Amino acid sequence: MQGHFYRRNRGSGWWQGQFKGCGYRFTFPRRLILDVLSSSSMHLSAEDVYLEVHKKYPGVGLATVYRTLELLVQMGVVSKSDFGDGRARYEMNKGPEGQRHHHHLVCSNCGLVIDYADFIDEEAKLLKKVERGLSEKYKFEINSHLMQFYGLCEKCKGKKD
Amino acid sequence: MQGHFYRRNRGSGWWQGQFKGCGYRFTFPRRLILDVLSSSSMHLSAEDVYLEVHKKYPGVGLATVYRTLELLVQMGVVSKSDFGDGRARYEMNKGPEGQRHHHHLVCSNCGLVIDYADFIDEEAKLLKKVERGLSEKYKFEINSHLMQFYGLCEKCKGKKD
DNA sequence: CTCCTATTGATAATGGTTATCATTACCAAA
DNA sequence: TTTGGTAATGATAACCATTATCAATAGGAG
């Protein structure tokens, strides 16, 4: 490995701090993976990330991508979702500038996934309330939540299958 | 296969109707699988179901269990969840007597899953509202939703890892 | 600069789920 | 009741995303 060309990219200091704060090293492959994740607004699979990273720097292996993604999920930086196509999807949760939390709308027929944040404000209020109630009743310390709606998208609705 | 001993069990007529109504046959293995699912309040994996069914009738294969579970999910009778342990979990959604819809509280550390329905009334209202809004805006026909909270259970909270 | 340890890359192994295919069971119609 | 067409089944091989392994390398504190 010869990862000595550190590209000057926004937020690298912030990221470095995040990693160090968690007791991890901020390595070159990890930086590349974060780059890919933060420059895409898609729901990327581990392989998607791997292919993208591989373009920029072919020396990064698939295992490292999986390991880093897992790490980022544990750090709360990335969230992992399952849309039912047999592979996990990853997307940025928060960054230096912060990012809007959103939920998903999944078409059970064609797999289309729509992010929405429109009704989040109202949802958020209730979610907070529910979280408080649940925390108290079940002595749980709630850190995150997952919320998805399943149904048929416009196109699949028409096809009546 | 010699599935000629139809056990007289509650709701079999109802189930038969459900299957026929969807254009499927109500076979012996399917009945057994439904029995297992409805007599357990746990979140069963496909293998759990297989082992249980296998006890009563060793002639039922694993593939049939998977196929039937998938079918039941499509029929909306069973819901499939992922609690992050690498295998899907199945549980009854509705039955002859109906059953209370509930959500999950998942411990990210030990994997404990708690079902709750306590705050459902309030949640339900908002969910309906959100569903209406989303349906309209994104032209989606929403059929179901998934809602889970992640965090640390009472025991794991204490151990600070 | 040096040392210790976390991290990495290549690859084998794992294991849940799905596909395949010959056989069997269901059920409507004769 | 018999029959015929087709859905369903069981055994097993195949699939494939993810994880484990391990020797080699890089990060960073001192």
Side-chain angles (χ1 to χ4, degrees), chain B residues 1-4 6 25 63 66-67 86-88:
Chain B
M1 293 218 35
Q2 51 218 312
H4 296 298
Y6 282 83
R25 294 177 182 167
Y66 272 103
R67 280 185 295 235
R87 60 184 59 194

Side-chain angles (χ1 to χ4, degrees), chain A residues 1-2 4 6 25-26 63 66-67 86-88:
Chain A
M1 293 221 32
Q2 53 220 315
H4 296 297
Y6 282 85
R25 293 178 183 167
F26 189 56
Y66 272 103
R67 280 186 294 235
R87 61 185 57 193

